[in-house]
Amino acid sequence: MRCLILAASVLVFVSAQSGSGFLQGIRDWFANNNKNDFTIDFVHNYRFEEHDITGHHLIVAISDVSSDRSCHLIEVTPDWAADLTNDDKVHIISEEIYQLITTHTAQETDLSSDDLKNIYGDTDAIRECVNHKVFVLTYKPSYLTSG
């Protein structure tokens, strides 16, 4: 019963946030209250995480939906790594990656669990991607390629 009351209180608090819609409020609350998590954005059924702990700077786009359990690893290059500190650019990047994945226009390579372990050595990505199809996605933000 206490959990139900706590959950309802959180939902009321989040939805009452001025200047933001209900879903944006949930996104903001989650981002601000899970500092130990790697999550940087949510786009539809994808959770976007930033991993920079193994010498490989990655964004991992994770879908836990049963019909689309997938992990897409994107290698972050130095020319746009600093952009991940800007919330507006993070959302642009997440949206672009989401569009590439869902329209099946991304350049992707299948990756086995062993490859994930041997190439990247990212134990958190390995844990997050168990029982998921794993891909490496080639990506560069559009604002760096246009003009």
Side-chain angles (χ1 to χ4, degrees):
M1 182 64 150
R2 289 182 185 164
C3 288
L4 181 60
I5 292 170
L6 178 62
S9 299
V10 168
L11 286 175
V12 168
F13 172 76
V14 168
S15 64
Q17 297 296 309
S18 62
S20 68
F22 178 73
L23 293 177
Q24 183 63 42
I26 290 174
R27 175 189 291 167
D28 293 345
W29 181 86
F30 191 87
N32 292 328
N33 289 293
N34 288 290
K35 295 297 185 189
N36 295 329
D37 190 3
F38 297 110
T39 303
I40 57 173
D41 204 359
F42 292 95
V43 179
H44 302 289
N45 63 316
Y46 281 84
R47 178 177 72 253
F48 288 80
E49 296 185 353
E50 180 181 11
H51 293 219
D52 190 14
I53 55 174
T54 63
H56 294 278
H57 193 173
L58 302 171
I59 290 179
V60 183
I62 305 165
S63 173
D64 291 319
V65 173
S66 61
S67 62
D68 178 32
R69 292 179 60 80
S70 60
C71 284
H72 305 264
L73 282 68
I74 300 93
E75 294 184 11
V76 178
T77 57
D79 56 338
W80 58 278
D83 295 341
L84 295 176
T85 62
N86 178 311
D87 289 339
D88 293 331
K89 288 185 178 179
V90 165
H91 196 63
I92 290 168
I93 290 166
S94 301
E95 283 286 344
E96 287 182 349
I97 293 170
Y98 174 79
Q99 289 300 319
L100 289 170
I101 293 168
T102 59
T103 61
H104 307 287
T105 55
Q107 284 186 297
E108 291 191 293
T109 305
D110 291 355
L111 198 66
S112 71
S113 297
D114 287 339
D115 289 338
L116 175 58
K117 179 180 178 184
N118 294 332
I119 295 169
Y120 295 103
D122 184 338
T123 55
D124 289 307
I126 293 166
R127 181 180 44 78
E128 295 278 359
C129 296
V130 167
N131 297 320
H132 289 64
K133 293 176 277 178
V134 182
F135 306 93
V136 175
L137 186 149
T138 302
Y139 169 77
K140 182 171 230 153
S142 64
Y143 54 84
L144 292 178
T145 60
S146 61

